[in-house]
Amino acid sequence: MMAKISKGMLSFYVGLAAFLTLILVMFSFLHARKISHWWKVLLETRIFFIPLILYILVIAIGFGLLAFFLISLFRRSLYGEIEEKLRVMASGNYDSPIVTKELPHSKENHYVTRIDKDLQVIASKMQEISAELQTLNNQPRLLEGQTKEEILEIERHRLARELHDSVSQQLFAAMMMLSAITEKAKKDQVSEAQQKQLAMVTDIINASQSEMRALLLHLRPVSLEGKSLRQGIEQLLKELQSKIKIELKWDVEDVSLPTAIEDQLFRVVQELLSNTLRHAKANELEVYLHEIDQNVLLRVIDDGVGFDTSQPKAGSYGLMNIRERIAAVGGTVKIISFKGQGTSIEIKIPLIKPLASGN
């Protein structure tokens, strides 16, 4: 019954029952004293200038609050461990000791024990699904003799090459010409307004060059090219540090992962770095990769402009793409961001043993 009725409603019923019981007791007492207008006695009798009916009402409310407190304690003791298991499972830790631990069986908590067994089955099935996702993601899917990844890599190479050979070179040439014009303008002592306009054009070209660097970073091939995930991420960050004026900090652990997950994580890091450079306007960027409790944890933190995660447009195409990539390998994405306070993105992927070939 308690599972279907909320604590508030149950407490209300207890208070109402207490109120009606007290009224019935007073009625029985006054009827035994042969007092016919018992309701007048309740309204007119005062104790310390307060009507007797108010005392009855306060006592009934007290019973209701006491019932609410006791029910809360009872439910916490009964369902507390179940709620903790659900929280851990929601975070993706299906093989956590908290989840795998069986609750003691007894007649008092037989209902909870059955729920616990159902949770064990759900956790086991979620592990199997995650393993299947990771196995399927590790298998190449061919399209006209080429994998999807190979087709995308060729196209990225082509776009990166064309952007570098055309737009990037033109921006560089325009910057050189503008620098010469600015120097000549200073020597010729042109008006301050014209010098401000030249400075504005310089800022625009600098911003365009930064945007181009971010795009070229985004278009780099997804393959780690024989390097480990740690080596690939560190090389990416070092190259970025030499080209962009941003303070970088990183702590990347050498974790052993299936090839498909390594490629996905490497691509996600590229996507996050590209998003940070293009949109965050950050001065500092931190990257962490660790293996914790049978999970791979990737965190990327910046001190940029941030955004309101409650807004529908807060999840841009890049973040949506990242969520899809991580979901494809059975992982979860947690985004914490506030306007003017930066952004923290935490990605967690469970390390699940591959399914046996017979399954």
Side-chain angles (χ1 to χ4, degrees):
M1 186 68 177
M2 284 195 302
K4 298 180 181 180
I5 303 177
S6 66
K7 293 185 291 185
M9 288 299 297
L10 196 56
S11 302
F12 171 77
Y13 291 145
V14 170
L16 181 62
F19 179 77
L20 295 176
T21 301
L22 289 172
I23 292 294
L24 181 61
V25 169
M26 290 298 301
F27 170 76
S28 301
F29 174 76
L30 294 174
H31 182 72
R33 299 288 298 272
K34 297 182 179 180
I35 299 176
S36 58
H37 301 292
W38 60 272
W39 54 272
K40 284 187 177 181
V41 176
L42 293 177
L43 294 175
E44 295 175 357
T45 303
R46 296 175 180 270
I47 303 175
F48 297 111
F49 307 104
I50 298 176
L52 181 60
I53 188 66
L54 288 182
Y55 282 98
I56 295 175
L57 185 61
V58 169
I59 292 172
I61 293 174
F63 272 102
L65 293 175
L66 179 61
F68 183 86
F69 177 73
L70 293 176
I71 292 169
S72 298
L73 287 179
F74 176 72
R75 285 192 172 181
R76 185 175 299 176
S77 64
L78 194 62
Y79 300 111
E81 292 187 76
I82 295 294
E83 292 175 355
E84 181 65 20
K85 287 192 176 189
L86 287 172
R87 280 194 291 269
V88 173
M89 288 174 61
S91 66
N93 295 332
Y94 308 124
D95 56 350
S96 169
I98 296 176
V99 176
T100 56
K101 175 186 175 184
E102 293 187 5
L103 297 180
H105 179 77
S106 63
K107 295 181 179 179
E108 290 77 10
N109 63 354
H110 178 67
Y111 178 69
V112 176
T113 304
R114 282 190 295 153
I115 295 176
D116 181 57
K117 288 182 178 179
D118 291 338
L119 286 179
Q120 300 282 346
V121 174
I122 293 172
S124 177
K125 289 184 177 180
M126 291 300 295
Q127 278 188 298
E128 292 178 6
I129 291 172
S130 296
E132 287 178 2
L133 279 173
Q134 293 179 6
T135 302
L136 289 174
N137 196 62
N138 203 25
Q139 295 174 350
R141 285 162 287 182
L142 297 179
L143 180 65
E144 296 182 358
Q146 288 182 306
T147 66
K148 178 183 175 182
E149 288 73 20
E150 289 173 343
I151 296 172
L152 291 174
E153 184 176 339
I154 292 171
E155 189 63 16
R156 289 191 187 100
H157 270 300
R158 185 185 67 80
L159 290 173
R161 185 172 57 252
E162 290 184 0
L163 286 172
H164 182 269
D165 293 343
S166 57
V167 182
S168 184
Q169 295 296 338
Q170 290 172 5
L171 285 173
F172 180 76
M175 192 64 192
M176 292 297 98
M177 293 174 62
L178 187 60
S179 297
I181 294 172
T182 303
E183 289 296 325
K184 190 175 185 302
K186 288 181 180 178
K187 291 180 181 179
D188 294 344
Q189 296 182 349
V190 299
S191 65
E192 185 177 348
Q194 289 178 326
Q195 290 190 26
K196 286 184 178 179
Q197 289 177 344
L198 289 172
M200 288 176 61
V201 175
T202 302
D203 290 339
I204 292 172
I205 294 179
N206 278 328
S208 299
Q209 284 183 315
S210 296
E211 178 81 7
M212 184 56 60
R213 292 190 189 102
L215 286 172
L216 291 174
L217 171 70
H218 183 75
L219 291 170
R220 282 192 55 174
V222 67
S223 175
L224 288 168
E225 301 172 345
K227 296 185 290 292
S228 68
L229 180 60
R230 177 182 180 180
Q231 291 171 334
I233 293 176
E234 288 184 342
Q235 181 180 344
L236 194 64
L237 292 170
K238 288 175 182 177
E239 290 179 5
L240 184 65
Q241 197 171 39
S242 65
K243 295 177 181 178
I244 305 293
K245 292 182 180 179
I246 186 172
E247 184 178 347
L248 290 174
K249 298 178 182 177
W250 67 82
D251 183 7
V252 180
E253 185 179 332
D254 195 4
V255 295
S256 178
L257 299 170
T259 303
I261 298 180
E262 285 191 341
D263 287 342
Q264 291 284 32
L265 276 176
F266 183 64
R267 187 61 184 162
V268 163
V269 171
Q270 285 181 303
E271 189 104 37
L272 290 174
L273 294 179
S274 177
N275 284 350
T276 301
L277 295 177
R278 296 173 64 190
H279 306 299
K281 299 178 182 178
N283 296 317
E284 294 184 6
L285 180 66
E286 301 176 22
V287 179
Y288 301 99
L289 179 69
H290 296 285
E291 180 181 337
I292 302 175
D293 296 332
Q294 296 299 310
N295 288 276
V296 174
L297 185 65
L298 171 67
R299 292 186 66 196
V300 178
I301 306 168
D302 68 65
D303 64 345
V305 295
F307 58 91
D308 186 358
T309 56
S310 64
Q311 296 299 321
K313 294 184 179 180
S316 64
Y317 174 77
L319 292 178
M320 183 175 64
N321 190 30
I322 288 170
R323 285 191 175 97
E324 290 176 355
R325 287 182 179 277
I326 297 304
V329 292
T332 56
V333 179
K334 181 180 179 181
I335 301 174
I336 301 175
S337 184
F338 300 97
K339 286 188 176 181
Q341 299 183 34
T343 302
S344 172
I345 298 180
E346 181 178 289
I347 293 170
K348 184 185 291 183
I349 300 176
L351 294 177
I352 300 174
K353 294 180 180 179
L355 294 175
S357 58
N359 290 347

